[in-house]
């Protein structure tokens, strides 16, 4: 519903980690969705993600690494 390059930033706070392996396909923060978020961001826009589950944080970083347009900031 948002036009491309419309958002200054997108914030995702504590998305459901879907911890069981068979449910990982339901995770919000996968490469395809991250690419969609990037399309909606203005130049120099930001994507802020917060989670309190270390394993999910590592999985998000792996997915973000697949998106060339994202610059990953250290934790």
């Amino acid at each position: 519903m948002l036009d491309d390059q419309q958002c200054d930033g997108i914030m995702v706070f504590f998305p459901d980690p879907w911890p069981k392996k068979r449910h990982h396909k339901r995770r919000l923060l996968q490469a395809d969705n991250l690419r969609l978020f990037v399309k909606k961001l203005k130049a120099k826009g930001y994507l802020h993600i917060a989670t309190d589950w270390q394993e999910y944080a590592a999985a998000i970083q792996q997915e973000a690494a697949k998106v060339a347009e994202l610059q990953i900031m250290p934790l």
Side-chain angles (χ1 to χ4, degrees):
M1 297 176 79
L2 298 171
D3 292 333
D4 290 350
Q5 299 179 354
Q6 182 177 354
C7 300
D8 291 318
I10 298 172
M11 294 180 278
V12 182
F13 295 106
F14 303 97
D16 192 333
W18 292 96
K20 293 181 181 175
K21 186 163 180 73
R22 68 176 187 240
H23 295 297
H24 285 188
K25 62 187 173 203
R26 294 184 173 94
R27 288 180 169 176
L28 174 66
L29 300 173
Q30 296 183 40
D32 288 341
N33 286 338
L34 294 172
R35 285 186 193 94
L36 178 63
F37 292 162
V38 168
K39 284 177 53 177
K40 303 303 174 183
L41 291 171
K42 293 179 182 176
K44 306 233 179 178
Y46 65 90
L47 175 59
H48 177 91
I49 301 168
T51 183
D52 57 354
W53 201 53
Q54 186 62 36
E55 292 85 2
Y56 193 28
I60 293 168
Q61 285 184 321
Q62 288 177 340
E63 291 295 308
K66 298 175 185 176
V67 182
E69 300 85 1
L70 285 176
Q71 178 183 359
I72 302 170
M73 305 300 288
L75 299 174

